[in-house]
Amino acid sequence: MPNDNEPAAVIRALDHVGVDFSLPEPVLLDFLGNAEFTPYPALAAALLKLLDGRMLRRPVFLDVIVFNYEHSPGNPSPRSIDDVNFAVLQAAILEGFNNRYGEQNTSFQTLTKPQNQPTPPLQTFMLVVEGAVKTDNGITFVDTDNPQVEVTTKLIDVHSEAASGMVPQELVRIGNGWRFTHGDTELSVSNGEAEAGPRPIRAGSLSEGAHAWPATVGNFSGANGSEVKLLSRIRVGYRPVDVKLLVRAPKNGFAANTAEKARIALDPDVLLVPVEVARFFSDQIPVQEISAASQMALWDQVPIISPTTNFKSVDGSTGELKFAERAWDHWPVPDNEGLYRHLGWVSPDSIWGKARIRFRLVNYIDIKTDNEHAAPGPAPGVNDVRLRENNTTLNEHPQHISDKRVLKVIFMHRIAPPDAPQIGEALLGNNCIGIAAGASDRFATIAHEIGHLITNSGGHSDLPDNVMNDPGPGTQITETQITQARAWAQNFADFWQH
């Protein structure tokens, strides 16, 4: 046990047994140095005693363990190791483990493994974050809410019970698919505003399990100590997320590689606009391309992993992981002009990002309706009547976010009668735009309609390549439009306040 007067040594010792933390490190150091007024020193000492010779097979946050312990029946808050109830401590760890990883373990013993098992097999040499603008107090601030993370690693030999000896790890990428033999790897992305699940929610980051894949096609083997660059793309918000490389050998579970980790946050000067997407469809008009996955790929530039190629093969006799195989159906890549496109649309981030504005999908709703409200038929009078009625329906939907302001984006097969020219429409004063999912000429339409909300006007620009040009919106914005856009985006700032 480290000296109680050396909190940094306590943190290192806890790290060796699989206990990490989500508090800012200076705060934790202060807590660990204050045995009189906080339970941290006592519980840290108890954890090291409890896990002597063993370690957690996946990390659990110390601050979560402390919270769970103190909120146990009787509200215990120990000030020395003699005050610690080890049964309550085990229950606190178990609760923290299950909540963090979505598991249903019922026994503390299932969470641990011997410390002398093979160490995590990947060695991290460096970590690079896209869009970094500054580093302050250990936090890397980025100008995009979907930064790409690059990690250069080295493959090595690992022990395999099935092979009765050491075997080389192998990582192979062919096209959009890759296979990791004798292990697996992913990025842990935790904390932030919240941990988002597979569907968009009011959150700031991806949850545990952001997959990382080789940057280039090729074969990489631990037999010759191959170095390989892995790529991943994550979501970040204003509150820092903790990013670590998680690696595993055939049978030792995931463990954080503490050689490289980062805290990443969105630059406060970047204005993040929350987006709620609603798809109006009918039995005859399914609007098939509109889904939560495709919308996350458009707004948040999040890769879409193939549902048919994402599996792990485990040896039946030893329980060892033989290989993990995955493939992307789509991952975001800007074109030669620096524009990011998905399903024919240019991402609004590609255009309004020049004003340091980003868009974040926070809610997705499927709304089944009749054919007339999915694809309006011929009708006299105002062309946007069905879109307005759909906006009312969305406002009354139980899943609609009504307590905070959001940008509403309604997708219909058509937003107006067949003879109407528009494939997009902005409902000024309603924070809502309508988009024709069945239109073939897409390009910058979504960004163009957002521009009408930004300028609070139905007017257009006569500049040839301006996003507000009509017909044929371009991708450029003026200094005046930048000023207007930033003033408009400020209206959504309180969405991210907790």
Side-chain angles (χ1 to χ4, degrees), residues 420-441:
Q422 62 262 54
I423 61 174
E425 184 77 23
L427 301 182
L428 302 183
N430 288 277
N431 287 325
C432 179
I433 63 173
I435 300 296
S440 57
D441 183 17

Side-chain angles (χ1 to χ4, degrees), residues 218-259:
N219 300 315
F220 310 93
S221 175
N224 52 19
S226 292
E227 293 183 15
V228 56
K229 180 191 291 184
L230 301 176
L231 301 182
S232 187
R233 191 175 284 274
I234 63 175
R235 302 167 92 202
V236 300
Y238 296 114
R239 295 189 182 184
V241 294
D242 295 321
V243 180
K244 301 177 183 178
L245 181 68
L246 294 184
V247 297
R248 68 175 298 167
K251 202 177 179 180
N252 72 331
F254 279 107
N257 184 334
T258 56

Side-chain angles (χ1 to χ4, degrees), residues 118-142:
T119 56
L122 262 66
Q123 301 174 355
T124 304
F125 294 130
M126 60 182 172
L127 187 147
V128 179
V129 183
E130 176 190 27
V133 294
K134 63 182 178 180
T135 300
D136 186 15
N137 196 29
I139 301 172
T140 298
F141 290 93
V142 294

